[in-house]
Amino acid sequence: FFLVLLLLLACSPQPPTDRPTARPTILFFTTTTSATFASPSFASNHSYLILSRPSLLNQIKTSFHSIISSKEMLSIFRFTLLLLATSAALVSARPVVRHIRSTHEFDRLMKKHATVTGLPVIVDFYSDGCGPCRMIAPIFKKLAKEVEGKAVFVKVDTNAMYELSSRYGVRSLPTFKFFLGGKKVQEFSGAGEQQLRHYTQEVINRAERENVLLSMETLVEYYKEKDA
């Protein structure tokens, strides 16, 4: 919303420049009651009015034009774009293989993909001291990139997450378990790339078949053909 607001301001006519040279006031519209500024000098040279509930768009536009210069507005606009770009970079830098840090995190992830996304979850139970685990690790990561968006890849350190390895009966490493809808549908042990690729594609295909959404129109057409 803030970005749209700034774009509208940037495209509108510039405010009059014959204002008295007073310390400018800047309005910040936020859902919180405080604001943090990156530049102390910027903060010390301005007065601020922080509103917890924004007004209508036209009123905001008029208020901004009456109290802020085009140069200051451009600075804020650039700073906002920088923040948005940084946020986008952080999101895009999210790892394709998630390392589980707690039992709660694992259970929450399984529930989300069982009830919300419908994506299969592929779990690599490993140990840092396991040679075959280290050998298959880059292949696991490469496969995760190849099918990104179709399956969720996670790694569980059996030394740190003993409760999870005990729950799922992990007795040899590495062990790969494939979950769909919160239930285990396949598993194998060892560093076999072909097995890993085969079972991954198999669970993805199954998820795609089971997650097909039928609209009312599609159902009506289907039964019209069957009844004809």
Side-chain angles (χ1 to χ4, degrees), residues 179-206:
F179 296 85
L180 183 61
K183 298 179 180 179
K184 186 187 69 177
V185 295
Q186 192 57 265
E187 69 175 307
F188 77 93
S189 297
E193 179 179 355
Q194 293 305 316
Q195 281 181 295
L196 179 59
R197 289 184 173 276
H198 171 73
Y199 289 132
T200 297
Q201 193 58 53
E202 187 178 82
V203 74
I204 288 175
N205 292 341
R206 179 174 171 179

Side-chain angles (χ1 to χ4, degrees), residues 18-77:
D18 55 344
R19 302 191 315 275
T21 56
R23 190 176 164 183
T25 301
I26 296 178
L27 292 176
F28 279 88
F29 299 90
T30 176
T31 56
T32 63
T33 55
S34 61
T36 303
F37 303 96
S39 172
S41 61
F42 183 84
S44 63
N45 293 328
H46 298 77
S47 298
Y48 301 95
L49 177 59
I50 302 173
L51 304 179
S52 59
R53 294 180 180 273
S55 306
L56 295 175
L57 190 59
N58 288 336
Q59 294 174 330
I60 297 173
K61 182 176 175 181
T62 303
S63 300
F64 261 89
H65 277 323
S66 64
I67 62 177
I68 186 170
S69 70
S70 60
K71 184 177 180 180
E72 291 163 344
M73 184 170 62
L74 181 60
S75 298
I76 296 176
F77 179 72

Side-chain angles (χ1 to χ4, degrees), residues 3-208:
L3 178 58
V4 173
L5 172 62
L6 289 173
L7 287 173
L8 288 172
L9 291 172
C11 296
S12 23
Q14 296 299 324
T17 57
D18 55 344
R19 302 191 315 275
T21 56
R23 190 176 164 183
T25 301
I26 296 178
L27 292 176
F28 279 88
F29 299 90
T30 176
T31 56
T32 63
T33 55
S34 61
T36 303
F37 303 96
S39 172
S41 61
F42 183 84
S44 63
N45 293 328
H46 298 77
S47 298
Y48 301 95
L49 177 59
I50 302 173
L51 304 179
S52 59
R53 294 180 180 273
S55 306
L56 295 175
L57 190 59
N58 288 336
Q59 294 174 330
I60 297 173
K61 182 176 175 181
T62 303
S63 300
F64 261 89
H65 277 323
S66 64
I67 62 177
I68 186 170
S69 70
S70 60
K71 184 177 180 180
E72 291 163 344
M73 184 170 62
L74 181 60
S75 298
I76 296 176
F77 179 72
R78 288 175 176 172
F79 181 68
T80 304
L81 287 181
L82 178 61
L83 288 178
L84 291 173
T86 303
S87 300
L90 290 174
V91 171
S92 63
R94 182 179 300 171
V96 292
V97 177
R98 181 169 176 174
H99 289 258
I100 299 300
R101 306 299 180 190
S102 69
T103 306
H104 174 70
E105 179 187 5
F106 183 83
D107 292 339
R108 187 176 56 188
L109 178 142
M110 293 293 290
K111 182 178 180 180
K112 173 186 175 181
H113 295 296
T115 60
V116 179
T117 69
L119 293 176
V121 179
I122 302 170
V123 186
D124 174 13
F125 289 91
Y126 77 103
S127 171
D128 289 332
C130 164
C133 297
R134 294 194 300 270
M135 182 177 70
I136 197 69
I139 297 173
F140 187 73
K141 184 176 181 179
K142 179 182 178 182
L143 181 59
K145 291 181 179 179
E146 291 176 5
V147 299
E148 187 173 3
K150 297 181 179 180
V152 178
F153 287 71
V154 302
K155 293 176 73 73
V156 174
D157 185 348
T158 55
N159 292 326
M161 298 283 100
Y162 178 77
E163 183 181 342
L164 286 178
S165 59
S166 177
R167 180 197 298 179
Y168 292 105
V170 177
R171 292 180 173 81
S172 59
L173 299 176
T175 290
F176 297 92
K177 294 184 182 285
F178 302 78
F179 296 85
L180 183 61
K183 298 179 180 179
K184 186 187 69 177
V185 295
Q186 192 57 265
E187 69 175 307
F188 77 93
S189 297
E193 179 179 355
Q194 293 305 316
Q195 281 181 295
L196 179 59
R197 289 184 173 276
H198 171 73
Y199 289 132
T200 297
Q201 193 58 53
E202 187 178 82
V203 74
I204 288 175
N205 292 341
R206 179 174 171 179
E208 290 176 347

